């Protein structure tokens, strides 16, 4: 008994998406490690009100949503949290989602929804689904990062006790942010190239 070759069955297999090249895989790993293992742990003490790498007095005012020199004037927070804790918590949630997104750009589940996802399991991931937040997030981070060298240079050259973060905090946070800012668009570009339909 002979088997019928796939070409004679009348079905056409969908073209397989090539795996990410080595440089893109490395960029994708940096793009999820920087927020998940760098950004979030650095911000957890601040969410808890601990002025790690920060000047205590200006940090305390900022954390409670007060402007400089306002003193102990009470300010309502959000959802029962101080304004600073709410803001930082929201940033950490977004950073975690960004880490998941970046990992998906170099993973099989970024191409096909996992089987356990209701209604979508096993279906192809639409290209716009990961690429839209990748482009928006990359644009925001690049725009923000472009202003940081001058700000940080001024802070390091003339440190002030009124600055919220100390020079040490700047030197710890800046490399993480820059690595994330460079790696995410690289991983996104690779995903875009790999998932293009053949011409």
């Amino acid at each position: 008994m002979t088997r019928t070759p796939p070409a004679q069955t009348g079905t056409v297999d969908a073209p397989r998406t090539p795996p990410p090249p080595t440089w893109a895989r490395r960029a994708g790993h940096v793009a999820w490690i920087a927020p998940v293992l760098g950004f979030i742990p650095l911000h957890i003490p601040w969410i808890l009100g601990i002025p790690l790498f920060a000047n205590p007095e200006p940090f305390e005012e900022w954390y409670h949503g007060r402007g400089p020199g306002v003193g102990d004037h009470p300010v309502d927070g959000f959802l029962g949290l101080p304004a600073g804790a709410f803001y930082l918590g929201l940033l950490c949630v977004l950073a975690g989602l960004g880490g998941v997104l970046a990992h998906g750009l170099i993973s099989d589940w970024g191409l096909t929804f996992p089987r356990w996802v209701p209604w979508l399991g096993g279906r192809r991931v639409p290209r716009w689904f990961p690429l839209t937040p990748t482009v928006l997030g990359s644009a925001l981070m690049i725009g923000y990062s472009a202003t940081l060298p001058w700000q940080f240079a001024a802070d390091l050259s003339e440190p002030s006790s009124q600055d919220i973060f100390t020079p040490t905090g700047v030197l710890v946070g800046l490399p993480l942010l820059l690595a994330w800012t460079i790696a995410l668009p690289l991983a996104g570009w690779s995903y875009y190239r790999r998932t293009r339909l053949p011409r």
Side-chain angles (χ1 to χ4, degrees), residues 2-105:
T2 59
R3 287 187 168 183
T4 303
Q8 299 177 11
T9 62
T11 61
V12 178
D13 292 337
R16 183 177 182 276
T17 302
T22 302
W23 63 265
R25 189 172 293 280
R26 289 175 180 167
H29 284 305
V30 170
W32 79 260
I33 288 173
V36 174
L37 300 182
F39 183 91
I40 293 176
L42 181 62
H43 284 68
I44 287 177
W46 299 337
I47 292 174
L48 300 175
I50 301 171
L52 179 68
F53 305 133
N55 292 311
E57 289 187 13
F59 174 83
E60 184 74 12
E61 292 177 339
W62 175 87
Y63 182 76
H64 290 284
R66 296 191 292 265
V70 173
D72 294 332
H73 179 72
V75 176
D76 292 334
F78 299 93
L79 302 176
L81 296 172
F86 179 84
Y87 171 74
L88 294 170
L90 182 60
L91 283 184
C92 285
V93 169
L94 293 175
L97 292 175
V100 172
L101 165 70
H103 200 281
L105 295 173

Side-chain angles (χ1 to χ4, degrees), residues 133-143 180-181 184-186 188:
T134 298
V135 170
L136 294 176
S138 296
L140 286 172
M141 290 200 301
I142 290 171
W180 189 10
T181 301
L184 181 60
L186 287 177

Side-chain angles (χ1 to χ4, degrees), residues 46-197:
W46 299 337
I47 292 174
L48 300 175
I50 301 171
L52 179 68
F53 305 133
N55 292 311
E57 289 187 13
F59 174 83
E60 184 74 12
E61 292 177 339
W62 175 87
Y63 182 76
H64 290 284
R66 296 191 292 265
V70 173
D72 294 332
H73 179 72
V75 176
D76 292 334
F78 299 93
L79 302 176
L81 296 172
F86 179 84
Y87 171 74
L88 294 170
L90 182 60
L91 283 184
C92 285
V93 169
L94 293 175
L97 292 175
V100 172
L101 165 70
H103 200 281
L105 295 173
I106 58 171
S107 303
D108 290 340
W109 54 267
L111 303 171
T112 305
F113 287 107
R115 293 286 180 188
W116 53 264
V117 177
W119 302 292
L120 297 175
R123 296 191 180 196
R124 185 85 174 174
V125 175
R127 295 175 74 228
W128 62 264
F129 190 71
L131 286 176
T132 300
T134 298
V135 170
L136 294 176
S138 296
L140 286 172
M141 290 200 301
I142 290 171
Y144 178 68
S145 298
T147 67
L148 294 181
W150 289 273
Q151 294 179 21
F152 287 167
D155 292 341
L156 292 175
S157 62
E158 297 181 11
S160 169
S161 60
Q162 295 306 308
D163 293 333
I164 295 177
F165 300 106
T166 64
T168 303
V170 171
L171 294 174
V172 170
L174 181 59
L176 288 170
L177 180 63
L178 292 180
W180 189 10
T181 301
I182 294 169
L184 181 60
L186 287 177
W189 173 247
S190 172
Y191 183 92
Y192 168 77
R193 293 284 305 274
R194 292 188 301 117
T195 56
R196 283 188 305 182
L197 294 176

